């Protein structure tokens, strides 16, 4: 005998319990500590902070633990938490030129003032599974003291700028019309994105976007879908000071350090009657050591500047609405997975229509 | 802790008494500034019926696509004295409705109910309650895709212009095509409507069966799309007309059956497969409506027949 | 004396960077008159057409059009730049037509022929399916298309038929002015001839004013009473078609005319 659907509450509570059990796994295994995650899974933590738009290694570690390692779910947890946080104000723009450098490379020049500082990168390893890691064991031997990193590391782009070879930086919060006055940058966590978008809004959107999405789009620009001939002008990673001006004080104070990765891509531009040929740039910025993200972001940023640089938008990576509307993993994951929700009422409507049309089809004697 | 009374046939309906709200969170979860932002957007929406107002949608503890728009609208308008009902597919007991109702119970401490007539605020996914609403009630719809033209024109930059200029030719073309190829308009849910004679609006994926209920409804109808970051409204007693041609007028679905539990012949029926041979039963989608009718003594064909077990 | 002009163009021009694509073009057009704009590729003729039809904003000059008088607007010439975007778009969809060189640019390829033809009527508020279909059928027949194909998509039509469909789609609101951008260029010679015949009879029977851009002098000869010759963005010669083609004054026109191969 059919009984109306019931027990929704009990089912939900049981699913929570099953989830908690699955999350913990075999109780004989030591439980993961947040410090362990933050230390030994630091790149996952950095990605979650970047896409979660929240710099807090401990919270990101907790999100990763709660999500059982699912990055999308962890990003969601962090963003939802962020919504509840009180807002004190806005930081001043980060001075990445004054970064306390831990890694800094340029593919555009063999050597440059300050040198090529490799830092902790897997770039020069061979990707062979290291079974010694499986066994655990001794921590690596401490390093000898490093030579001091040069105090002043000029940006590659500043060097190019001395010759006028690269476009002058313009405030990113100008509208699509280059002659308009700069305005307050929008805050995408407070206002919805509108099209056409300012570069400032685009960059914000890209900074929070899913890395996989940007990676694929950036890759497409290298394969001929809007070719920009990119060069990695400079990639730098390290700690920067965060400053803000509290209303009561009226001057800037240092509220802490965060580590970021910044990428400036150099691309070619063919010039026009009015403007001689010069390099153009794409910009990427991410928390922690998210280098692949910063690079992909810079490629996509450059592709999306097609409109303001007078290039005809022909490729998906140049389609602003397409790129930005589908980059947020909360939106994409939520909507794709919402298909799991009951849709039986609408399905019922479709069933009814299809049956009726089939009936009509039969009545007309089948295929006409 | 008081919990929601779970339905079985014949069990009395209850209004769950208010519990104390979770004091770790602001009333209704959202901060006051956000609520004000949403209410300002809602005022704009009510002033221009059917017009999509962009708003700064916040990340909520439920995923985008799972009702965050409806939740934010409810959170912005709910007050301590409200009585809240939440339904999904017309039923109070489906998991999504239960989840959202628990969220608000925890975040506001307001009374919740399954009875449409006792509610002051009803949040719904994909159905309008069968029980007619009255003045003073608010119906909040969860909307996945607020743009009625999106299948014809995915670009927001374009559709904004089309709405502003009331250029709805694309939509008419689509309806014409359906008739030319299928003999009838193929939309059975999320059927586009014209509001107050001006804006074409998506009523959310309610079955077209429910469209007539929107017209001149005494209640305030609010629509929230969290992921797409727009909201819109139909004020009380506003005209809402389903698009059609004069010679192919709008029609609602009809069943050859009545509800197997309460005998209703004029409600939206869910089809339920009851055995491996594919035997079917049809029951009211609106669980509260069905319950009330059964309590009033109405029965359907499947009730009280000992040999009816499939 | 009343001003009967339908269109008055004064000194219109457009530049891209330092280069003027089209400069200082002026002419008048009367109801029912067909004007050809002739030139090689790069002469600025397509730019001019886009300026006149408001598809591209002009950098200098003005275009005046005689709007139909209605409750809101008195009749007579109006400067189109003073119209709101909404009004301009409405004009483009009712009193004007634009026939694209490639019919795929002027049709909705994913919907049926009938929907293509009836769309303008639907946009204007016609809500009777049967009557819309009737009118679509009527216009398909006027452009010599088989009415039985009303539910087929344009992808199933030949190039010449797609072009006829595009014409029907534009004429259904009985526009007084139709812009045409190389209407026959993409077609087979024999198909071109039949289409030109159709265009000629339609313009005569319906009293359409047309501005036809073409590089083909034969098209100008057949369709247009007057023509403009363009070179490097400027009008080098203008006048009655027969006079310009039989007795060209400007060296460039002479060159054009003499290089035409007679069949």
């Amino acid at each position: 005998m059919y009984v109306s659907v019931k027990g929704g509450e009990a089912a939900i509570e049981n699913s929570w319990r099953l989830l908690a059990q699955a999350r913990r796994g075999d109780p004989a295994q030591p439980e993961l500590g947040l410090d362990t995650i933050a230390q030994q899974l630091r790149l996952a933590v950095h990605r979650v902070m970047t896409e979660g738009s929240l710099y807090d290694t401990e919270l990101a570690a907790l999100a990763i633990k709660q999500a059982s390692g699912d990055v999308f779910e962890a990003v969601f947890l962090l963003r939802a938490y962020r919504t509840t946080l009180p807002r004190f104000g806005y930081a001043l723009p980060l001075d990445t030129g004054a970064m306390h450098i831990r890694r800094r490379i340029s593919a555009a020049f063999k050597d440059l003032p300050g040198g090529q500082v490799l830092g902790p990168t897997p770039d020069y390893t061979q990707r062979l599974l290291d079974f010694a890691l499986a066994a655990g064991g001794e921590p690596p031997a401490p390093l000898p003291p490093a030579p001091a990193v040069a105090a002043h590391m000029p940006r590659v782009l500043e060097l190019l700028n001395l010759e006028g070879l690269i476009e002058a930086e313009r405030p990113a919060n100008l509208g699509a019309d280059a002659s308009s006055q700069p305005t307050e940058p929008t805050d995408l966590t407070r206002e919805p994105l509108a099209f056409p978008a300012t570069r400032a809004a685009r960059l914000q959107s890209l900074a929070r976007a899913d890395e996989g999405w940007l990676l694929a789009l950036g890759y497409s620009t290298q394969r001929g879908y809007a070719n920009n001939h990119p060069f990695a002008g400079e990639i730098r990673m390290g700690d920067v000071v965060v400053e803000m001006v509290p209303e009561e004080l009226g001057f800037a104070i240092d509220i802490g350090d965060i580590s970021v990765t910044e990428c400036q891509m150099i691309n070619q531009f063919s010039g026009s009657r009015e403007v001689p040929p010069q390099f153009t740039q794409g910009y990427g910025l991410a928390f922690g050591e998210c280098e692949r993200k910063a690079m992909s972001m810079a490629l996509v940023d450059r592709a999306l500047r097609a409109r303001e640089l007078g290039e005809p938008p022909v490729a998906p990576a140049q389609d602003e609405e397409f790129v930005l509307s589908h980059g947020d993993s909360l939106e994409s994951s939520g909507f794709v997975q919402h298909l799991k929700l009951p849709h039986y009422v609408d399905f019922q409507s479709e069933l009814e229509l299809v049956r009726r049309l089939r009936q009509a089809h039969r009545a007309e004697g089948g295929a006409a | 802790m008081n919990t929601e009374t779970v339905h079985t046939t014949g069990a009395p309906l209850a209004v769950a008494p208010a519990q104390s709200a979770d004091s770790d969170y602001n009333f209704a979860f959202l901060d006051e500034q956000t609520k004000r932002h949403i209410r300002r957007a809602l005022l704009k929406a009510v002033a221009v019926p059917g017009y999509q107002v962009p708003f700064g949608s916040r990340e909520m503890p439920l995923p985008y696509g799972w009702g965050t728009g409806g939740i934010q609208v409810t959170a912005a308008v709910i007050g301590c004295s409200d009585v809240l009902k939440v339904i999904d597919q017309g039923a109070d007991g489906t998991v999504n409705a239960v989840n959202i109702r628990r969220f608000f119970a925890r975040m506001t401490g307001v009374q919740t109910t399954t009875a449409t007539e006792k509610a002051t605020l009803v949040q719904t996914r994909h159905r309008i309650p069968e029980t007619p609403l009255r003045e003073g009630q608010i119906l909040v719809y969860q909307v996945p895709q607020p743009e009625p033209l999106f299948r014809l024109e995915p670009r927001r930059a374009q559709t904004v212009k089309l709405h502003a200029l009331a250029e709805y030719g694309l939509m008419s073309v689509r309806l014409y095509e359906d008739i030319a190829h299928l003999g009838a308009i193929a939309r059975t849910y999320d059927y586009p409507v014209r509001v107050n004679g001006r804006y074409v609006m998506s009523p959310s994926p309610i079955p077209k069966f429910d469209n007539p209920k929107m017209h001149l409804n005494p209640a305030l109808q609010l629509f929230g799309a969290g992921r797409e970051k727009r909201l819109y409204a139909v004020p009380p007693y506003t005209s809402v007309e389903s698009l059609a041609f004069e010679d192919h007028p709008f029609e609602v679905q009809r069943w050859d059956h009545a509800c197997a539990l309460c005998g209703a012949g004029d409600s939206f029926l869910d089809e339920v497969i009851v055995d491996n041979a594919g035997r079917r039963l049809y029951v009211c989608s609106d669980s509260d409506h069905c319950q009330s009718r059964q309590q009033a003594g109405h029965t359907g064909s499947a009730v009280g027949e000992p040999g009816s077990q499939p | 004396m009343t001003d009967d002009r339908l269109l008055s163009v004064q000194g219109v021009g457009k530049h891209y960077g330092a280069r003027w694509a089209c400069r200082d073009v002026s002419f008048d057009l009367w109801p029912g008159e067909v004007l050809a704009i002739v030139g090689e590729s790069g002469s600025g003729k397509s730019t001019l057409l886009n300026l006149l039809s408001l598809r591209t904003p002009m950098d200098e000059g003005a275009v005046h059009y005689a709007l139909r008088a209605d409750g809101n607007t008195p009749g007579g010439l109006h400067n189109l730049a003073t119209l709101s975007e909404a009004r301009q778009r409405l004009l483009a969809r009712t009193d004007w037509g634009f026939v694209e060189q490639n019919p795929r640019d002027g049709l909705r390829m994913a919907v049926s022929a009938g929907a293509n033809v009836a769309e303008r009527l639907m946009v204007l508020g016609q809500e009777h399916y049967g009557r819309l279909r009737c009118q679509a059928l009527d216009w398909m027949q006027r452009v010599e298309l088989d009415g039985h194909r009303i539910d087929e998509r344009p992808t199933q039509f030949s190039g010449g038929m797609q072009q006829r469909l595009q014409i029907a789609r534009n004429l259904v609101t009985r526009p007084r002015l139709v812009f045409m951008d190389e209407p026959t260029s993409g077609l087979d010679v024999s198909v071109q001839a039949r289409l030109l015949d159709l265009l000629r009879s339609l313009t005569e029977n319906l009293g359409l004013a047309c501005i036809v851009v073409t590089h083909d002098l034969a098209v100008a000869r057949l369709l247009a009473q007057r023509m403009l010759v363009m070179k490097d963005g400027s009008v080098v010669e203008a006048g009655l078609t027969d006079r310009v083609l039989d007795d060209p004054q400007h060296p460039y026109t002479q060159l054009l005319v003499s290089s035409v191969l007679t069949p």
Side-chain angles (χ1 to χ4, degrees):
Chain A
M1 178 60 213
Y2 169 73
V3 181
S4 57
V5 171
K6 66 172 184 179
E9 294 243 3
I12 289 180
E13 272 164 29
N14 286 332
S15 77
W16 291 350
R17 285 200 208 103
L18 281 172
L19 180 66
Q21 206 170 58
R23 174 188 296 136
R24 181 61 182 85
D26 180 0
Q29 298 300 316
E31 189 176 344
L32 277 177
L34 298 187
D35 284 338
T36 312
I37 296 174
Q39 290 298 313
Q40 296 176 30
L41 295 180
R42 79 180 192 291
L43 297 179
V45 167
H46 294 171
R47 178 172 175 183
V48 168
M49 292 196 303
T50 299
E51 294 178 24
S53 295
L54 189 63
Y55 195 99
D56 188 313
T57 52
E58 198 180 315
L59 288 176
L62 174 58
I64 289 169
K65 178 174 176 177
Q66 188 172 334
S68 300
D70 179 347
V71 168
F72 289 91
E73 186 64 24
V75 168
F76 184 4
L77 286 166
L78 215 57
R79 289 259 201 104
Y81 184 70
R82 186 187 190 283
T83 303
T84 66
L85 295 174
R87 174 174 281 252
F88 299 126
Y90 293 90
L92 294 177
L94 301 178
D95 184 1
T96 51
M99 183 188 285
H100 179 66
I101 299 253
R102 281 187 275 138
R103 172 168 161 74
R104 185 269 212 139
I105 55 166
S106 170
F109 293 96
K110 180 169 174 178
D111 206 353
L112 64 169
Q116 306 267 19
V117 181
L118 301 184
T121 176
D123 285 353
Y124 312 105
T125 63
Q126 297 100 47
R127 267 62 167 200
L128 300 165
L129 275 180
D130 184 352
F131 294 97
L133 276 180
E138 299 289 315
L143 294 164
V149 163
H152 179 55
M153 297 247 204
R155 294 175 181 290
V156 170
L157 265 60
E158 274 166 24
L159 298 170
L160 290 173
N161 209 20
L162 293 173
E163 279 183 76
L165 288 169
I166 189 154
E167 57 173 343
E169 283 191 6
R170 303 181 313 146
N173 51 333
L174 286 181
D177 166 16
S179 61
S180 63
Q181 291 306 303
T183 54
E184 263 311 290
T186 49
D187 181 342
L188 285 187
T189 64
R190 286 287 178 271
E191 300 294 329
L193 184 60
F195 299 104
T198 60
R199 188 164 175 220
R202 272 187 256 137
L203 286 170
Q204 273 182 61
S205 180
L206 293 176
R208 288 154 59 88
D210 175 55
E211 182 174 327
W213 175 243
L214 292 190
L215 181 61
L217 288 169
Y219 176 45
S220 76
T221 68
Q222 293 178 276
R223 292 193 69 253
Y225 292 85
N227 224 324
N228 289 315
H229 305 289
F231 294 90
E234 182 159 358
I235 296 174
R236 47 170 69 194
M237 182 277 285
D239 302 323
V240 288
V241 165
V242 180
E243 294 180 291
M244 71 171 285
V245 180
E247 259 182 68
E248 319 83 69
L249 291 182
F251 55 84
I253 55 167
D254 172 346
I255 57 172
D257 282 8
I258 60 173
S259 80
V260 297
T261 301
E262 181 190 60
C263 172
Q264 293 185 298
M265 287 285 184
I266 301 175
N267 300 267
Q268 189 131 34
F269 175 56
S270 55
S272 67
R273 285 287 167 89
E274 291 105 28
V275 182
Q278 51 181 191
F279 293 118
T280 53
Q281 54 144 313
Y283 187 80
L285 186 71
F287 287 152
E289 296 167 53
C290 293
E291 194 164 283
R292 184 189 314 116
K293 167 68 183 272
M295 294 175 75
S296 306
M297 178 173 161
L299 291 177
V300 177
D301 171 46
R302 174 59 182 84
L304 289 177
R305 296 184 61 213
R307 190 172 20 96
E308 72 210 45
L309 293 171
E311 296 161 355
V314 297
Q318 295 173 306
D319 184 334
E320 183 180 84
E321 221 183 293
F322 182 75
V323 168
L324 300 180
S325 300
H326 304 116
D328 186 292
S329 74
L330 266 72
E331 294 173 19
S332 54
S333 169
F335 203 47
V336 166
Q337 294 196 78
H338 108 286
L339 295 173
K340 294 181 279 190
L341 290 178
H343 283 79
Y344 56 80
V345 165
D346 294 339
F347 187 63
Q348 183 67 57
S349 307
E350 294 285 84
L351 271 178
E352 196 257 345
L353 176 66
V354 169
R355 283 173 181 153
R356 198 154 44 86
L357 292 176
R358 287 173 66 86
Q359 217 168 33
H361 202 248
R362 273 194 294 275
E364 279 165 28
Chain B
M1 177 174 114
N2 292 302
T3 54
E4 186 53 43
T5 303
V6 153
H7 292 129
T8 54
T9 55
L13 298 168
V15 172
Q19 56 188 85
S20 50
D22 189 331
S23 58
D24 285 335
Y25 292 92
N26 195 35
F27 181 85
F29 183 77
L30 296 174
D31 59 273
E32 291 306 311
Q33 212 165 359
T34 298
K35 285 190 229 171
R36 265 198 294 279
H37 170 77
I38 296 175
R39 285 195 289 259
R40 273 197 289 268
L42 285 171
L43 286 175
K44 258 192 219 154
V46 169
V48 190
Y51 167 73
Q52 298 167 51
V53 181
F55 79 104
S57 177
R58 303 291 193 252
E59 277 106 9
M60 302 293 283
L62 274 79
Y64 279 135
W66 293 54
T68 58
I71 291 172
Q72 287 179 82
V73 169
T74 298
V77 304
I78 196 167
C80 323
S81 58
D82 271 303
V83 180
L84 176 70
K85 172 178 163 86
V86 182
I87 48 174
D88 181 1
Q89 313 293 294
D92 307 81
T94 48
V95 291
N96 188 241
V98 168
N99 210 9
I100 294 175
R101 191 167 53 245
R102 287 166 68 124
F103 173 76
F104 279 112
R106 178 174 168 192
M107 292 297 159
T108 64
V110 302
Q111 287 187 4
T112 64
T113 183
T114 59
T116 306
E117 18 178 84
K118 293 198 170 69
T120 58
L121 192 49
V122 178
Q123 179 167 330
T124 177
R125 178 169 173 267
H126 296 191
R127 283 259 20 235
I128 298 180
E130 306 286 356
T131 311
L133 300 171
R134 17 161 245 283
E135 259 181 50
Q137 286 181 309
I138 299 179
L139 185 60
V140 177
Y141 296 73
Q142 295 175 207
V143 181
Q145 175 51 264
E147 179 49 67
L149 302 171
F150 90 97
R151 275 200 196 84
L152 306 170
E153 176 49 75
R155 279 155 212 280
R156 181 77 189 128
Q158 279 309 300
T159 52
V160 164
K161 197 164 260 206
L162 296 177
H163 281 292
L165 300 172
E167 280 183 26
Y168 293 122
L170 262 185
M171 183 63 80
S172 310
V173 165
R174 179 78 260 143
L175 299 179
Y176 172 102
E177 278 301 273
D178 280 355
I179 297 175
H181 294 295
L182 299 170
I185 294 172
R187 293 251 61 156
T188 59
Y189 58 89
D190 200 5
Y191 191 104
V193 295
R194 195 164 203 126
V195 179
N196 207 29
R198 174 56 177 87
Y199 282 94
V200 169
M201 179 188 100
S202 153
S204 85
I206 56 176
K208 64 176 183 170
F209 181 86
D210 282 341
N211 275 24
K213 299 185 176 79
M214 301 177 68
H215 181 62
L216 300 180
N217 196 309
L220 171 63
Q221 300 172 76
L222 303 178
F223 299 77
R227 186 185 51 86
E228 293 282 342
K229 304 178 183 30
R230 264 115 68 194
L231 46 82
Y232 45 101
V234 176
Y237 302 112
T238 303
S239 96
V240 177
E241 298 155 317
S242 301
L243 302 185
F245 289 99
E246 284 168 23
D247 51 341
H248 285 263
F250 174 76
E251 276 180 359
V252 295
Q253 296 113 320
R254 304 211 183 288
W255 281 259
D256 295 329
H257 323 264
C259 171
L261 296 179
C262 77
D266 59 355
S267 71
F268 190 96
L269 301 180
D270 291 334
E271 184 175 319
V272 183
I273 302 177
V274 293
D275 66 19
N276 286 336
R279 286 251 296 277
R280 286 166 164 72
L281 265 184
Y282 291 84
V283 291
C284 285
S285 149
D286 185 329
S287 52
D288 173 54
H289 179 70
C290 199
Q291 292 282 307
S292 314
R293 282 181 53 86
Q294 288 174 57
Q295 288 192 311
H298 300 281
T299 57
S301 58
V303 174
E305 294 170 19
S308 69
Q309 273 84 340
Chain C
M1 188 177 102
T2 53
D3 189 345
D4 291 332
R5 289 176 295 174
L6 186 67
L7 187 76
S8 175
V9 178
Q10 291 137 22
V12 305
K14 168 116 194 123
H15 63 84
Y16 292 100
R19 188 180 72 88
W20 284 86
C22 133
R23 189 124 207 219
D24 197 24
V25 178
S26 304
F27 65 88
D28 293 322
L29 191 71
W30 274 263
E33 195 181 16
V34 179
L35 175 77
I37 304 177
V38 162
E40 298 171 293
S41 92
S43 59
K45 58 190 195 299
S46 288
T47 304
L48 178 60
L49 199 70
N50 286 333
L51 292 179
L52 298 176
S53 59
L54 302 180
R55 290 178 165 204
T56 309
M58 61 193 78
D59 291 320
E60 53 172 40
V63 177
H64 289 72
Y65 179 75
L67 296 173
R68 283 193 215 268
D70 62 27
N72 296 324
T73 335
L77 289 172
H78 284 75
N79 185 338
L80 292 178
T82 62
L83 296 182
S84 66
E85 187 183 356
R87 190 75 184 75
Q88 286 180 1
R89 283 165 81 118
L90 184 63
L91 184 63
R93 274 202 313 271
T94 54
D95 210 22
W96 284 1
F98 196 112
V99 177
E100 304 269 3
Q101 177 170 3
N102 186 342
R104 300 177 98 88
D105 295 330
L107 291 170
R108 289 196 195 279
M109 300 305 283
V111 303
S112 66
N116 267 285
V117 178
E119 181 175 345
R120 281 190 174 198
L121 299 173
M122 289 188 254
V123 168
L124 289 177
Q126 270 207 42
E127 288 179 349
H128 193 284
Y129 174 81
R131 281 200 286 271
L132 286 164
R133 200 175 166 81
C134 233
Q135 288 186 272
L137 209 48
D138 179 42
W139 280 97
M140 281 179 74
Q141 281 160 356
R142 287 200 211 208
V143 298
E144 297 162 15
L145 284 173
D146 178 3
H148 290 106
R149 305 188 68 175
I150 189 176
D151 291 327
E152 290 180 28
R153 300 214 162 90
T155 45
Q156 294 166 289
F157 288 25
S158 69
M161 289 164 63
Q162 286 176 356
Q163 200 56 303
R164 286 164 190 270
L165 189 63
Q166 201 200 162
I167 291 165
R169 176 177 160 86
N170 275 278
L171 295 185
V172 75
T173 48
R174 294 188 176 268
R176 290 181 297 152
L177 174 60
V178 180
F179 300 94
M180 300 196 199
D181 187 2
E182 306 271 11
T184 58
S185 295
L187 306 170
D188 277 346
V189 174
S190 62
V191 175
Q192 281 192 34
R194 289 213 303 278
L195 194 64
L196 283 172
D197 261 347
L198 175 70
L199 282 173
R200 197 158 56 95
S201 68
L202 282 173
T203 51
E204 275 174 24
N205 296 337
L206 300 173
L208 295 175
C210 293
I211 299 179
V212 182
V213 155
T214 180
H215 67 276
D216 187 340
L217 298 180
V219 170
R221 172 90 75 178
L222 193 64
L223 289 183
Q225 291 97 18
R226 285 195 295 138
M227 63 186 276
L228 307 178
V229 181
M230 288 189 74
K231 180 185 194 308
D232 292 333
S234 300
V235 175
V236 299
E237 187 156 359
L240 295 176
T241 307
D242 290 339
R243 201 279 301 154
V244 172
L245 292 180
D246 294 337
D247 183 22
Q249 298 297 298
H250 192 278
Y252 176 69
T253 319
Q254 291 166 355
L255 188 62
L256 260 188
V257 168
S258 66
S259 63
V260 170
L261 299 169
T262 49

